[in-house]
Amino acid sequence: MLQSAPQVLALDRARIARALGQRERYKYVRPRVEREGMGWKVISPNCSRNVDPAGGEIEIAWLVPASNGQWLLHARDHGAGCWVLKAAGLRMDEALQRLCSDPQREFWR
C-alpha cells in the first residue's frame, strides 16, 4: 500500500487540475494545484483584483481527503487569512463540481 501512495496522490492532483479546465469563472486564467498538508491547494491569478489589486496569485480552494474516499472542501477567507470549510463528506467529483461551478462565488472572486 505504501508504494502506491505517491501514484494515488499524483492521480488526485491530475484529476483536480483537469477539472479546473471545466470551471465556469475566469476560464482564461491558468490555476495551479499544489500540495498543502494532507490535501491540495488551488492557486490562481486574481484577475478580478477583488482580493489582490495588483492581480497577483491567490489561494482559491483547499481539498482535503477525509475517511472512506470522501473529501473536505475549503475556501480561503482572504481577510482573515484562513481556510473556511464549505463542504464535508463529498466524493471527489462532487467537490470538483462545486468548486468549478461556484454559483455563490465562494471560491472564484
Side-chain angles (χ1 to χ4, degrees):
M1 178 76 175
L2 292 176
Q3 292 178 347
S4 66
Q7 292 172 333
V8 170
L9 292 175
L11 290 174
D12 287 341
R13 182 183 182 281
R15 187 173 177 193
I16 294 166
R18 185 174 49 251
L20 292 173
Q22 304 302 313
R23 69 191 179 284
E24 294 181 18
R25 298 188 187 283
Y26 305 113
K27 289 186 173 192
Y28 47 88
V29 299
R30 295 187 184 196
R32 57 190 170 87
V33 180
E34 289 185 355
R35 191 84 170 131
E36 173 81 3
M38 296 298 294
W40 298 100
K41 172 173 63 174
V42 177
I43 301 169
S44 179
N46 183 216
C47 294
S48 70
R49 300 180 188 259
N50 289 334
V51 176
D52 181 353
E57 288 190 326
I58 61 170
E59 296 170 325
I60 300 294
W62 182 32
L63 296 107
V64 181
S67 60
N68 299 322
Q70 297 180 335
W71 289 77
L72 306 172
L73 178 59
H74 300 79
R76 187 70 176 175
D77 181 334
H78 295 95
C82 64
W83 292 106
V84 177
L85 181 64
K86 294 295 180 173
L90 301 174
R91 294 186 322 263
M92 169 74 87
D93 61 325
E94 293 170 325
L96 292 173
Q97 172 60 34
R98 183 160 174 181
L99 171 60
C100 291
S101 66
D102 194 20
Q104 302 300 316
R105 294 183 59 124
E106 297 174 294
F107 306 98
W108 304 95
R109 299 175 183 255

